[in-house]
Amino acid sequence: MDIAERLKAAEGIDIESAEIIATNPDCIRARFTLAAADGSRTRQRAIFMRLPADGYALVPVTARQSTGFGSAKLSQIYASSAARGDFGGEVVGALNGGFFIFIERLWSRAARFVASETRVGDPIGWRMTAGETTFPPLYGRASLLFGGTGGARAASPKLTDMTLVFHWSDGTESRLSPSAVNREGTSGVACYTPAWNSPKSPGRPGAIDVSVIGATTASSRAGGGAIIPINGFVVSAEKDAWGVAGTKGRPHPTRVAYELNAAAEENFGGAAHAIEAGPALVSDGMPLEIDVESLVASGFAPRTPPLPAFNSVLNHYKIPAPRTCVGIYENGDATAAVFEGRMPGESEGVTLNEAARLMAAIGCRDAVNLDGGASSQMILRGVSLNQPQLGESGGWMTRALKLAGKLATPGTLPLPGDIGAGGEERSIGDALLIVRL
């Protein structure tokens, strides 16, 4: 049964049309009405792209990796990536990725220190491309894995799945394997993330604590009490665990790299690519009930970073909006879906619960939500299959940002062009490349 037939068979969904708009990969645009819980019906439009595991891969890439800039439009990321030709196959399209930072100084202040380099465009959560992790799993949120055995799959990885490789200026390394996350009193290697109940790591005599953001070490402190970066973590270990490097009196390591440990390699089936996003929408074929309680439990906690990336989900999960989702089938195949929205009378957009219901209706075993709203976009062979929409607030928000920008400290607010006006692409931090193997 194909996607259109599954939608027709689903309760509360009345198909108006389902047209094939592309092949290789197969892609349909469906127009339908959707019944809400209160009995009302809304018109919707969605694009579904089926990606068999033996023919296609979804490969995460940051804007910085692809274009050299912290953020870029999806069309720019696609064009730059397609020209490179080093993603294991032909780059035929792109999908917007997960959450990312686009307000500079707000994050730096929240992290309680000014970053030495710009963080705009940094991913929020795990990003792994061709086996190389650029940002580690921090929040315990749903991730999508691609490659390896079994095709695509969903998981909720943690820092305890990683080996941390710290590089010192003299060429030596310290390899640490975390045994606990956000736990006080551990005797091994501990990590403290933004979900810890304090802005600093706990006191720990005899330990060296290092604050980390991505591949960058930001600061270090002996005896605990290190600052926990909002988009990073603190690793705490006894001096002996740091090896010879721990006795050198260095201020902190120069950089850090990440490797999946042996247990995680086996659990994740040798996956080559990963993106942490969320929340999870479908599990074992059943749509998940999404509310504030479930969002907090899955890593969207009130203590997590300020708007827009985290708390906006807490505030807007039940507001109809454009959504981007990836669903996974029992055989490891995937379907990328963009639910268009903010187009009154044409396509209203869906809530996260409605997105979960729709992804389950098309037969997905698991499904995960990616970034949405003005970021939602799907490109195939250089053509955008939908129009990104900021919504009715776009006009006044753009004007307000221009006015506020004259009064605010540079970098405090996003630029109007970063938000994206209705019908225009917004700058994003990363993408999922659609690669034909």
Side-chain angles (χ1 to χ4, degrees), residues 51-58 144-154 267-273 327-334 365 437:
L51 300 165
D54 60 355
Y56 294 89
L58 285 168
L144 291 163
L145 310 179
F146 308 99
T149 60
R153 73 217 71 158
N267 291 339
F268 299 154
H273 314 293
I328 301 165
Y329 296 88
E330 194 68 40
N331 65 354
D333 290 354
R365 179 194 64 201
L437 304 175

Side-chain angles (χ1 to χ4, degrees), residues 190-193 200-201 209-212 226-229 232-236:
C191 291
Y192 299 93
T193 75
K200 297 182 179 181
S201 61
D209 287 15
V210 176
S211 299
V212 179
I227 294 169
I228 301 173
F233 65 100
V234 167
V235 58
S236 177

Side-chain angles (χ1 to χ4, degrees), residues 267-322:
N267 291 339
F268 299 154
H273 314 293
I275 182 169
E276 182 179 357
L281 300 174
V282 179
S283 179
D284 292 328
M286 299 298 296
L288 298 175
E289 181 64 30
I290 298 165
D291 53 23
V292 170
E293 183 178 351
S294 69
L295 289 170
V296 169
S298 61
F300 294 89
R303 185 173 289 280
T304 54
L307 293 174
F310 280 74
N311 290 344
S312 62
V313 177
L314 293 180
N315 295 331
H316 299 301
Y317 72 95
K318 57 185 176 181
I319 296 175

Side-chain angles (χ1 to χ4, degrees), residues 30 32 42-47 319-324 338-351 354 372-377 386-392 421-423:
F32 56 95
T42 57
R43 293 194 71 190
Q44 304 289 349
R45 191 168 70 190
I47 303 166
I319 296 175
R323 309 281 181 184
T324 300
V338 168
F339 299 101
E340 299 185 76
R342 297 173 177 166
M343 295 182 286
E346 180 64 23
S347 188
E348 302 293 336
V350 297
T351 67
E354 288 171 339
S375 294
S376 284
Q377 189 178 6
N386 70 298
Q387 280 194 334
Q389 297 289 337
L390 179 61
E392 294 181 1

Side-chain angles (χ1 to χ4, degrees), residues 117 119 133-136 212-218 253-258:
E117 59 185 84
R119 308 310 321 180
T133 290
T134 52
F135 277 77
V212 179
I213 305 176
T216 304
T217 56
T254 56
R255 59 190 177 89
V256 60
Y258 306 90

Side-chain angles (χ1 to χ4, degrees), residues 226-251:
I227 294 169
I228 301 173
I230 289 296
N231 193 34
F233 65 100
V234 167
V235 58
S236 177
E238 300 289 340
K239 289 183 179 180
D240 290 346
W242 290 97
V244 176
T247 66
K248 293 182 178 180
R250 309 290 187 192

Side-chain angles (χ1 to χ4, degrees), residues 103-146:
I103 301 179
E104 174 68 275
R105 200 169 300 276
L106 180 59
W107 285 75
S108 296
R109 287 177 177 171
R112 298 171 187 83
F113 62 85
V114 176
S116 59
E117 59 185 84
T118 180
R119 308 310 321 180
V120 168
D122 277 3
I124 299 174
W126 193 21
R127 297 296 188 276
M128 180 173 69
T129 303
E132 181 180 350
T133 290
T134 52
F135 277 77
L138 293 182
Y139 305 102
R141 294 162 51 196
S143 294
L144 291 163
L145 310 179
F146 308 99

